[in-house]
Amino acid sequence: YKKVVQQIIDFLSGKNDELEKKLEAEMREAAVQKNFEKAARIRDKIFALQTITERQKITDIGRRDMDVINFTAELGRLFFNVFMVRNGKLLNQENFVLDALELHPEEATIDVSEMVESFMTQYYSRAGEIPGEVLLPEAIEDTSVLEKFLTELRGAPVHILTPKRGEKNQLLELSHKNAVSFSKQYRIKWLAEQSGAQALSRLAEALGLKDSPLKRIEGFDISHLGGNETVGSMVVFENGLP
């Protein structure tokens, strides 16, 4: 309890970076110990902390509307983070995974420029709103083609920019930080799923079953006091995880 209170004190004192590092260390330790439920709780804390911190940092960038897109590559996938800045304020952020191996299973390396273009085409084809500016960390091969595509969707000019300094570049760096954090959280989820599959396999072996148990297992317990005050509880495991 004292530890939680100290975390709140650190946050209110503006020590967000220190607190985030401590939480990330705890999340990694929990993952090493295979305590994935605890790791997931810490992950949610980190997300909440980052969201609040980002809203504090991004206050007014010329009152412009823009999307800030950055990414990181890991595990044969690209992890994207999208900041939606409207009227100079960060209104929302989203994270996405694009599986490079599914698109090009025969290739060992990832064509980053092609993957970014593919992501943007898919994302903006479904987006409810397209701003006049989209920031990317590096230029892509068909920038002019993509700008024309976005302009047609929006019905007004859209410019793709790759700033190397200033406030816009700082936004890209912050977006990259979130993309890296998202990739770490995805890895924990993947490890948890692997652990669940192993648990089902061990359960089948222990019970002498030919096949693994069902993906969803429900256990019930009913209690009462002399036939009165009856209560029931249910425990659920999905894919071997509680």
Side-chain angles (χ1 to χ4, degrees):
Y1 179 78
K2 184 178 180 181
K3 182 179 178 181
V4 173
V5 172
Q6 186 59 50
Q7 289 178 344
I8 297 173
I9 293 173
D10 290 344
F11 172 71
L12 294 177
S13 301
K15 300 177 181 179
N16 298 346
D17 291 340
E18 296 177 17
L19 179 56
E20 186 174 333
K21 289 179 181 178
K22 290 179 182 178
L23 290 173
E24 286 181 345
E26 291 179 17
M27 183 174 69
R28 287 194 297 269
E29 179 61 25
V32 170
Q33 300 297 327
K34 296 186 177 181
N35 191 341
F36 300 113
E37 186 175 353
K38 180 179 179 182
R41 289 199 301 270
I42 299 174
R43 171 203 64 195
D44 293 341
K45 281 187 180 181
I46 294 173
F47 251 156
L49 179 63
Q50 289 175 340
T51 299
I52 295 172
T53 302
E54 287 153 7
R55 291 181 185 276
Q56 292 172 339
K57 287 183 178 179
I58 304 173
T59 55
D60 187 2
I61 311 171
R63 297 187 177 277
R64 296 182 180 178
D65 293 347
M66 66 179 72
D67 283 350
V68 183
I69 301 176
N70 214 326
F71 57 88
T72 185
E74 188 178 350
L75 303 173
R77 298 172 176 85
L78 255 61
F79 297 85
F80 286 90
N81 174 261
V82 181
F83 282 164
M84 282 150 276
V85 179
R86 301 294 182 266
N87 196 31
K89 304 292 190 299
L90 175 62
L91 295 187
N92 195 17
Q93 70 157 330
E94 292 184 297
N95 296 292
F96 303 91
V97 183
L98 204 60
D99 196 326
L101 299 181
E102 285 186 2
L103 292 179
H104 302 286
E106 71 284 354
E107 297 181 10
T109 58
I110 299 176
D111 186 333
V112 173
S113 180
E114 182 182 351
M115 293 289 289
V116 172
E117 184 179 350
S118 176
F119 167 74
M120 292 181 66
T121 301
Q122 293 180 48
Y123 177 75
Y124 286 111
S125 293
R126 304 171 184 173
E129 181 183 7
I130 302 176
E133 289 186 2
V134 179
L135 307 188
L136 291 178
E138 54 190 70
I140 57 178
E141 294 181 4
D142 298 325
T143 299
S144 59
V145 175
L146 192 55
E147 282 182 334
K148 182 179 179 181
F149 169 73
L150 296 178
T151 296
E152 290 176 353
L153 285 179
R154 182 174 185 246
V158 177
H159 301 287
I160 299 175
L161 308 175
T162 55
K164 300 302 179 184
R165 61 178 66 89
E167 290 180 327
K168 293 181 179 179
N169 185 58
Q170 291 175 4
L171 284 178
L172 282 168
E173 291 176 353
L174 187 60
S175 179
H176 179 260
K177 181 180 178 181
N178 276 29
V180 171
S181 177
F182 174 54
S183 71
K184 292 178 181 178
Q185 293 153 14
Y186 184 94
R187 181 174 179 81
I188 287 179
K189 179 182 177 182
W190 179 78
L191 288 172
E193 290 173 350
Q194 294 292 103
S195 176
Q198 293 174 3
L200 287 176
S201 177
R202 290 196 297 268
L203 180 60
E205 182 180 352
L207 297 177
L209 302 176
K210 293 182 180 180
D211 301 315
S212 294
L214 296 174
K215 292 184 178 181
R216 181 179 174 94
I217 302 173
E218 299 178 355
F220 295 87
D221 180 61
I222 307 298
S223 300
H224 60 88
L225 293 174
N228 298 315
E229 306 297 337
T230 302
V231 295
S233 62
M234 178 177 70
V235 174
V236 179
F237 281 76
E238 290 187 346
N239 297 318
L241 299 175

